[in-house]
Amino acid sequence: MTPAPSPSDAPPPLISVIVLNYNGARWLERCLTSLRAQTIFDRTEIILADNVSNDGSEQLGKRLVESWPGCAFRQHTENLGYDEGNNRAAETARGQFLLFLNNDTWLEPRCLEQLLAEVQRTGASAAAPLVLNWEDDSFQSLGAFGFDLFGLASTRAFAAETREVLMPEGCAYLIQRKLFEELGRFDPEFFMYSDELDLSWRVWIAGHKAVAVPSAKLHHRGAAQVNPAGGGAAVEFRTSDTKRFYANRNGLLVLLKNARLLLLVLVPLQLGLLLLEAVAALALVRRWGFVRRAYWDAVADCWRLRRHILAERRRIRRFRRRGDLWMLRFLRWRFNRWDELQRVRQFGVPKVTPR
C-alpha cells in the first residue's frame, strides 16, 4: 500500500485566499463559509489573519478555519493596517495566485473557478470579480477603468464581458504570487486606501495586465468599519478624519511613486483639487481639526516620506517596461469624485467622525 503523502509532499494549492480581519464579527462567518462552498475549495488555501480584533471575531474565525483542510489562522500582535497585515499573511502562502479578500464580502459558489479560468484564458496577471452589493445583485463595481485628470481612479461601470481595467477592485484582488513579490508587495507606508491603485499601476508599467471578470460574482458591503449603520446596506454617508487623511495622502503617493515624468503634471492638479475640497469641507463641516488632519497633514506627510518616495522610484525603475505615454490610454474624463457626489445626493452632507 502506498502511504498517504504528508502535508509537505502535497501539491501546492492553485490559489491562496488571504482574509485580513479587524472587528469583522458582523461579516466574517458568511465570508468564510462562502469560501468553504467554492467549487474549487479542494485547490484553495485560506489564510485568515487578524489585526488584533476586540469583538470576538478572531476566535470565531480561528475556530472555523482551523477545522478545514489547507487553512490556517494567523494572529498579528498589533494592528498592522491593510497593507502590512496582508504582506505578513502572504509570507506563508503557497498558491500560484493570491486573492486578497475583505472580510465584508461573500462569494457565489463558482466565483473563484470562473475568476481563475478567465485569468488563465486572457493571460492576465491580476484580476477581480464583479462586485455586487451585499444584500442583492445590484451593481457596485467592476474595478476602475482608468484615472481622471487628477490621477485618481475613475469610471467604475458595468461590462458584460471580461475586460482590461487599470485597477481591479481592492475588496477581492487577485494577483500572481510571484509577481506580487517581484513588484514589492503592498507598500506598508500606505497603511490603508489606494493600495490597490498603487499595486495595479506597478502591474501595468512592469509589462503585465489586469482584468475584471463579470462572470465571477462577489457581494460586498463596503466601508463597513467607517460607515457601519444600516447592516447590509448603508443608510448614511459617513467618513472620518483618518480615512480622508489616508485617502488624500495615498492618492498623491501613487503618482509620486509611479509616474515617470509626463504624468507628474497630475500632482499639482491633484493638490489643487485637495485645496478646493479643503475650503468646501471647512464650510460644510465647520471643524478646522478635520481640515488640518485630512488635507494639510496629508500633504505634509508626503514631504515626510520623500526619501521613501525616491527609493521607490529607483526600485520601480528597475522593472519598468512602460512609460507615461503608454499609460495615457487609461485617462478617463469621468471625475473620480462623481460617486461621492451621488452619495451626497442620496444621503446628504457626509457625517464626519473625529478620529
Side-chain angles (χ1 to χ4, degrees), residues 37-100:
Q38 290 299 295
T39 54
I40 60 167
F41 178 75
D42 61 335
R43 304 180 68 191
T44 302
E45 172 185 51
I46 299 172
I47 300 172
L48 174 64
D50 187 77
N51 261 349
V52 198
S53 296
N54 55 27
D55 67 344
S57 57
E58 74 284 7
Q59 293 301 319
L60 167 67
K62 181 180 181 181
R63 187 166 61 249
L64 283 173
V65 301
E66 288 191 338
S67 66
W68 298 343
C71 302
F73 175 80
R74 178 166 183 165
Q75 179 68 67
H76 297 318
T77 57
E78 59 181 312
N79 186 351
L80 298 170
Y82 177 88
D83 300 299
E84 185 61 8
N86 275 314
N87 286 344
R88 298 274 185 94
E91 290 173 354
T92 58
R94 299 184 301 120
Q96 178 184 348
F97 293 91
L98 302 175
L99 178 71
F100 296 99

Side-chain angles (χ1 to χ4, degrees), residues 10 19 34 57 69 93 109 111 139 147 162 210 213 215 221 225 236 265 267 283 289 292 330 336 341 349:
V19 181
S34 76
S57 57
C111 181
F139 175 78
F147 57 86
T162 298
V213 181
S215 61
R221 168 48 162 84
Q225 289 294 325
E236 62 182 4
V265 73
V267 173
R292 184 184 64 246
F330 290 115
N336 167 271
L341 291 173
V349 176

Side-chain angles (χ1 to χ4, degrees), residues 68-321:
W68 298 343
C71 302
F73 175 80
R74 178 166 183 165
Q75 179 68 67
H76 297 318
T77 57
E78 59 181 312
N79 186 351
L80 298 170
Y82 177 88
D83 300 299
E84 185 61 8
N86 275 314
N87 286 344
R88 298 274 185 94
E91 290 173 354
T92 58
R94 299 184 301 120
Q96 178 184 348
F97 293 91
L98 302 175
L99 178 71
F100 296 99
L101 185 68
N102 282 17
N103 62 4
D104 60 339
T105 60
W106 62 274
L107 291 69
E108 297 193 4
R110 293 189 64 204
C111 181
L112 294 184
E113 177 188 353
Q114 292 175 314
L115 182 63
L116 288 168
E118 283 298 283
V119 164
Q120 292 168 339
R121 182 186 70 83
T122 59
S125 299
L130 169 65
V131 182
L132 304 170
N133 284 314
W134 175 271
E135 293 185 330
D136 54 35
D137 291 336
S138 57
F139 175 78
Q140 186 177 119
S141 179
L142 196 61
F145 292 0
F147 57 86
D148 66 10
L149 285 170
F150 304 99
L152 300 168
S154 176
T155 313
R156 286 170 163 86
F158 179 75
E161 303 293 333
T162 298
R163 60 157 295 160
E164 293 183 358
V165 290
L166 169 66
M167 184 195 79
E169 198 60 58
C171 64
Y173 195 106
L174 180 81
I175 187 170
Q176 292 175 346
R177 179 166 61 93
K178 182 179 178 182
L179 179 62
F180 181 67
E181 296 297 331
E182 290 173 353
L183 296 179
R185 306 191 298 176
F186 288 116
D187 186 343
E189 292 290 355
F190 275 56
F191 195 76
M192 59 182 179
Y193 302 128
S194 296
D195 27 56
E196 70 268 49
L197 179 58
D198 176 55
L199 181 60
S200 299
W201 207 295
R202 284 180 273 148
V203 167
W204 281 104
I205 63 178
H208 300 268
K209 71 176 179 179
V211 298
V213 181
S215 61
K217 297 177 181 179
L218 168 143
H219 297 257
H220 180 221
R221 168 48 162 84
Q225 289 294 325
V226 75
N227 193 2
V235 295
E236 62 182 4
F237 183 13
R238 183 177 291 276
T239 188
S240 70
D241 296 15
T242 299
K243 177 181 178 179
R244 294 312 309 172
F245 164 80
Y246 283 119
N248 292 338
R249 186 200 65 170
N250 294 350
L252 289 167
L253 287 178
V254 170
L255 290 174
L256 291 169
K257 285 179 53 182
N258 297 293
R260 191 171 190 176
L261 290 174
L262 176 63
L263 289 178
L264 286 174
V265 73
L266 301 180
V267 173
L269 293 178
Q270 194 173 135
L271 287 169
L273 173 66
L274 294 180
L275 177 61
L276 291 175
E277 283 189 359
V279 172
L282 188 59
L284 292 172
V285 179
R286 297 182 181 182
R287 183 165 60 84
W288 168 246
F290 168 67
V291 174
R292 184 184 64 246
R293 173 63 173 162
Y295 295 93
W296 173 261
D297 287 356
V299 175
D301 212 48
C302 286
W303 174 251
R304 180 186 67 83
L305 290 170
R306 61 193 181 278
R307 291 186 179 86
H308 173 72
I309 293 168
L310 291 173
E312 283 291 282
R313 289 182 65 84
R314 288 191 294 268
R315 187 183 64 82
I316 290 169
R317 189 183 308 134
R318 292 197 291 269
F319 62 72
R320 181 187 294 275
R321 298 293 180 269

